[in-house]
Coordinates of all heavy atoms in Angstrom, one line a residue:
A14 N -39.6 -15.0 -11.3 CA -39.8 -16.5 -11.1 C -39.0 -17.2 -12.2 O -38.4 -18.3 -11.9 CB -41.2 -16.9 -11.1
V112 N -46.5 -14.5 6.9 CA -46.8 -14.1 8.3 C -46.6 -12.6 8.3 O -45.4 -12.2 8.2 CB -46.0 -14.9 9.3 CG1 -46.4 -14.4 10.7 CG2 -46.3 -16.4 9.2
E142 N -36.3 -30.7 -12.6 CA -34.8 -30.5 -12.8 C -34.0 -31.4 -11.9 O -33.0 -32.0 -12.2 CB -34.4 -29.1 -12.7 CG -33.0 -28.8 -13.0 CD -32.7 -27.3 -12.9 OE1 -33.6 -26.5 -12.8 OE2 -31.5 -27.0 -13.1
R143 N -34.5 -31.4 -10.6 CA -33.8 -32.3 -9.6 C -33.9 -33.8 -9.9 O -33.0 -34.5 -9.8 CB -34.3 -32.0 -8.2 CG -33.8 -30.7 -7.6 CD -34.1 -30.6 -6.1 NE -35.6 -30.5 -5.9 CZ -36.3 -29.4 -5.8 NH1 -35.7 -28.2 -5.9 NH2 -37.6 -29.5 -5.5
A151 N -27.5 -41.2 -11.4 CA -27.6 -42.7 -11.3 C -27.1 -43.4 -12.6 O -26.4 -44.4 -12.4 CB -29.1 -43.0 -11.1
T170 N -21.1 -59.7 -16.1 CA -21.9 -58.8 -15.4 C -21.9 -57.4 -16.1 O -22.9 -56.7 -16.1 CB -21.4 -58.6 -13.9 OG1 -21.3 -59.9 -13.4 CG2 -22.3 -57.8 -13.1
I226 N -13.9 -41.0 -20.8 CA -13.4 -42.3 -21.4 C -14.5 -42.7 -22.4 O -15.7 -42.7 -22.0 CB -13.2 -43.3 -20.3 CG1 -12.1 -42.8 -19.4 CG2 -12.8 -44.6 -21.0 CD1 -12.0 -43.7 -18.1
W308 N 3.8 -68.6 -12.7 CA 4.4 -67.9 -11.6 C 3.4 -67.0 -10.9 O 3.3 -66.9 -9.7 CB 5.7 -67.2 -12.0 CG 6.1 -66.1 -11.1 CD1 6.8 -66.2 -9.9 CD2 5.7 -64.7 -11.2 NE1 6.9 -65.0 -9.3 CE2 6.3 -64.0 -10.0 CE3 5.0 -63.9 -12.1 CZ2 6.1 -62.7 -9.8 CZ3 4.8 -62.6 -11.9 CH2 5.4 -62.0 -10.8
A346 N -6.6 -43.6 -6.0 CA -7.4 -44.8 -6.0 C -8.6 -44.7 -5.1 O -9.6 -45.4 -5.3 CB -6.6 -46.0 -5.6
P482 N -2.0 -43.8 -14.7 CA -1.1 -44.9 -14.6 C 0.2 -44.7 -15.4 O 0.2 -44.2 -16.5 CB -1.9 -46.0 -15.3 CG -3.0 -45.4 -16.0 CD -3.2 -44.0 -15.4
L488 N 9.1 -50.2 -16.9 CA 10.5 -49.8 -17.0 C 11.4 -50.5 -16.0 O 12.5 -51.0 -16.4 CB 10.6 -48.3 -16.8 CG 10.3 -47.4 -18.0 CD1 10.4 -45.9 -17.6 CD2 11.3 -47.7 -19.2
G502 N 23.8 -64.4 -20.2 CA 24.4 -64.7 -21.4 C 23.5 -65.3 -22.4 O 22.4 -64.9 -22.6
S503 N 23.9 -66.4 -23.1 CA 23.1 -67.0 -24.1 C 21.8 -67.6 -23.6 O 20.9 -67.9 -24.3 CB 23.9 -68.1 -24.8 OG 24.3 -69.1 -23.9

Side-chain angles (χ1 to χ4, degrees):
V112 180
E142 185 177 353
R143 286 193 293 270
T170 309
I226 300 170
W308 160 81
L488 276 177
S503 59

